[in-house]
Short mmCIF file of all heavy atoms in Angstrom, two decimals:
data_model
loop_
_atom_site.label_atom_id
_atom_site.label_comp_id
_atom_site.label_asym_id
_atom_site.label_seq_id
_atom_site.Cartn_x
_atom_site.Cartn_y
_atom_site.Cartn_z
N GLY A 4 -0.91 -12.16 -3.90
CA GLY A 4 0.17 -11.01 -3.80
C GLY A 4 -0.40 -9.68 -3.96
O GLY A 4 0.26 -8.75 -4.14
N LYS A 5 -1.83 -9.39 -3.93
CA LYS A 5 -2.35 -8.16 -4.10
C LYS A 5 -1.83 -7.22 -3.05
O LYS A 5 -1.32 -6.12 -3.31
CB LYS A 5 -3.79 -8.32 -4.05
CG LYS A 5 -4.45 -9.11 -5.15
CD LYS A 5 -6.01 -9.16 -5.26
CE LYS A 5 -6.53 -9.75 -3.88
NZ LYS A 5 -6.29 -11.15 -3.75
N THR A 6 -2.00 -7.60 -1.74
CA THR A 6 -1.50 -6.68 -0.63
C THR A 6 -0.13 -6.59 -0.69
O THR A 6 0.43 -5.62 -0.46
CB THR A 6 -2.08 -7.27 0.64
OG1 THR A 6 -3.50 -7.34 0.69
CG2 THR A 6 -1.69 -6.36 1.78
N THR A 7 0.69 -7.66 -0.98
CA THR A 7 2.14 -7.70 -0.98
C THR A 7 2.61 -6.62 -1.88
O THR A 7 3.56 -5.92 -1.74
CB THR A 7 2.58 -9.04 -1.23
OG1 THR A 7 2.33 -9.96 -0.23
CG2 THR A 7 4.14 -9.04 -1.54
N LEU A 8 2.09 -6.70 -3.17
CA LEU A 8 2.48 -5.73 -4.22
C LEU A 8 2.12 -4.25 -3.83
O LEU A 8 3.08 -3.47 -4.12
CB LEU A 8 1.84 -6.00 -5.55
CG LEU A 8 2.31 -5.27 -6.68
CD1 LEU A 8 3.81 -5.61 -6.88
CD2 LEU A 8 1.54 -5.84 -8.00
N ALA A 9 1.03 -4.04 -3.16
CA ALA A 9 0.74 -2.74 -2.68
C ALA A 9 1.84 -2.22 -1.50
O ALA A 9 2.25 -1.15 -1.66
CB ALA A 9 -0.64 -2.80 -1.97
N LYS A 10 2.27 -3.16 -0.75
CA LYS A 10 3.34 -2.93 0.32
C LYS A 10 4.69 -2.60 -0.45
O LYS A 10 5.47 -1.81 -0.03
CB LYS A 10 3.46 -3.94 1.17
CG LYS A 10 2.17 -3.97 2.17
CD LYS A 10 2.43 -4.92 3.38
CE LYS A 10 1.05 -4.73 4.35
NZ LYS A 10 1.15 -5.65 5.42
N ILE A 11 4.98 -3.35 -1.55
CA ILE A 11 6.19 -3.09 -2.35
C ILE A 11 6.12 -1.66 -2.90
O ILE A 11 7.16 -0.99 -2.81
CB ILE A 11 6.30 -4.03 -3.40
CG1 ILE A 11 6.73 -5.55 -2.72
CG2 ILE A 11 7.36 -3.73 -4.37
CD1 ILE A 11 6.67 -6.67 -3.61
N ILE A 12 5.05 -1.35 -3.35
CA ILE A 12 4.81 0.01 -3.98
C ILE A 12 5.03 1.08 -2.89
O ILE A 12 5.71 2.03 -3.05
CB ILE A 12 3.41 0.15 -4.63
CG1 ILE A 12 3.27 -0.69 -5.86
CG2 ILE A 12 3.16 1.60 -4.90
CD1 ILE A 12 1.84 -0.82 -6.40
N ALA A 13 4.51 0.74 -1.64
CA ALA A 13 4.65 1.71 -0.62
C ALA A 13 6.20 1.83 -0.22
O ALA A 13 6.63 2.95 0.19
CB ALA A 13 4.10 1.17 0.67
N ASN A 14 6.99 0.82 -0.36
CA ASN A 14 8.45 0.95 -0.11
C ASN A 14 9.14 1.58 -1.21
O ASN A 14 10.28 2.05 -0.78
CB ASN A 14 8.95 -0.48 0.15
CG ASN A 14 8.39 -1.19 1.35
OD1 ASN A 14 8.04 -0.64 2.38
ND2 ASN A 14 8.34 -2.59 1.35
N THR A 15 8.69 1.61 -2.29
CA THR A 15 9.45 2.15 -3.46
C THR A 15 9.04 3.59 -3.97
O THR A 15 9.71 4.31 -4.67
CB THR A 15 9.49 1.10 -4.68
OG1 THR A 15 8.09 0.95 -5.05
CG2 THR A 15 10.02 -0.29 -4.30
N THR A 16 7.82 3.96 -3.63
CA THR A 16 7.21 5.19 -4.18
C THR A 16 7.80 6.36 -3.50
O THR A 16 8.12 6.32 -2.30
CB THR A 16 5.59 5.18 -4.19
OG1 THR A 16 5.30 6.30 -4.72
CG2 THR A 16 5.25 5.24 -2.67
N ASN A 17 7.97 7.57 -4.26
CA ASN A 17 8.22 8.80 -3.58
C ASN A 17 6.91 9.51 -3.07
O ASN A 17 7.06 10.68 -2.61
CB ASN A 17 9.02 9.68 -4.49
CG ASN A 17 10.40 9.10 -4.73
OD1 ASN A 17 11.15 8.70 -3.79
ND2 ASN A 17 10.79 9.12 -5.92
N ASN A 18 5.80 8.91 -3.49
CA ASN A 18 4.55 9.56 -2.97
C ASN A 18 4.28 9.10 -1.55
O ASN A 18 4.75 8.23 -1.02
CB ASN A 18 3.39 9.13 -3.94
CG ASN A 18 3.67 9.50 -5.34
OD1 ASN A 18 3.67 10.67 -5.65
ND2 ASN A 18 3.55 8.64 -6.33
N ASN A 19 3.30 9.78 -1.02
CA ASN A 19 2.80 9.55 0.29
C ASN A 19 1.90 8.05 0.08
O ASN A 19 1.47 7.86 -0.92
CB ASN A 19 1.92 10.35 0.93
CG ASN A 19 2.58 11.64 1.30
OD1 ASN A 19 3.70 11.60 2.04
ND2 ASN A 19 2.15 12.76 0.86
N PHE A 20 2.00 7.24 1.05
CA PHE A 20 1.35 5.94 0.99
C PHE A 20 0.51 5.73 2.23
O PHE A 20 1.03 5.77 3.38
CB PHE A 20 2.27 4.73 0.84
CG PHE A 20 1.52 3.49 0.50
CD1 PHE A 20 1.46 3.16 -0.77
CD2 PHE A 20 1.00 2.73 1.53
CE1 PHE A 20 0.78 1.86 -1.25
CE2 PHE A 20 0.47 1.32 1.15
CZ PHE A 20 0.32 1.00 -0.14
N THR A 21 -0.85 5.52 2.02
CA THR A 21 -1.75 5.31 3.18
C THR A 21 -2.69 4.27 2.90
O THR A 21 -2.95 4.09 1.76
CB THR A 21 -2.36 6.65 3.77
OG1 THR A 21 -3.08 6.49 4.88
CG2 THR A 21 -3.20 7.12 2.63
N THR A 22 -3.33 3.71 3.81
CA THR A 22 -4.14 2.58 3.65
C THR A 22 -5.58 2.67 4.41
O THR A 22 -5.63 3.36 5.34
CB THR A 22 -3.58 1.22 4.14
OG1 THR A 22 -3.36 1.14 5.62
CG2 THR A 22 -2.19 0.90 3.50
N LEU A 23 -6.50 1.85 3.85
CA LEU A 23 -7.88 1.82 4.45
C LEU A 23 -8.25 0.26 4.21
O LEU A 23 -7.94 -0.26 3.16
CB LEU A 23 -8.91 2.68 3.84
CG LEU A 23 -8.92 4.11 4.20
CD1 LEU A 23 -9.98 4.84 3.38
CD2 LEU A 23 -9.30 4.20 5.70
N ASN A 24 -8.91 -0.26 5.18
CA ASN A 24 -9.61 -1.45 4.94
C ASN A 24 -11.12 -1.31 4.99
O ASN A 24 -11.77 -0.71 5.86
CB ASN A 24 -9.29 -2.38 6.14
CG ASN A 24 -9.82 -3.87 5.90
OD1 ASN A 24 -10.97 -4.09 5.76
ND2 ASN A 24 -8.91 -4.83 5.93
N ALA A 25 -11.64 -1.59 3.88
CA ALA A 25 -13.07 -1.36 3.50
C ALA A 25 -14.00 -2.07 4.58
O ALA A 25 -15.22 -1.63 4.72
CB ALA A 25 -13.44 -1.74 2.09
N VAL A 26 -13.64 -3.13 5.32
CA VAL A 26 -14.40 -3.76 6.32
C VAL A 26 -14.65 -2.97 7.45
O VAL A 26 -15.72 -2.80 8.02
CB VAL A 26 -13.78 -5.09 6.60
CG1 VAL A 26 -14.64 -5.76 7.69
CG2 VAL A 26 -13.64 -6.06 5.40
N THR A 27 -13.58 -2.17 7.81
CA THR A 27 -13.66 -1.47 9.11
C THR A 27 -13.78 0.10 9.00
O THR A 27 -13.93 0.74 9.95
CB THR A 27 -12.45 -1.80 9.95
OG1 THR A 27 -11.18 -1.45 9.22
CG2 THR A 27 -12.31 -3.28 10.26
#
């Protein structure tokens, strides 16, 4: 659930939300 929880935060936060994948 690590990524899932991050996406839930993205849906609920009033802050900007952006992502990076360390592999790429």
Side-chain angles (χ1 to χ4, degrees):
K5 300 185 296 296
T6 301
T7 295
L8 190 57
K10 291 188 176 185
I11 289 172
I12 293 169
N14 293 333
T15 58
T16 184
N17 290 318
N18 298 304
N19 294 310
F20 190 94
T21 188
T22 66
L23 279 176
N24 188 303
V26 176
T27 57

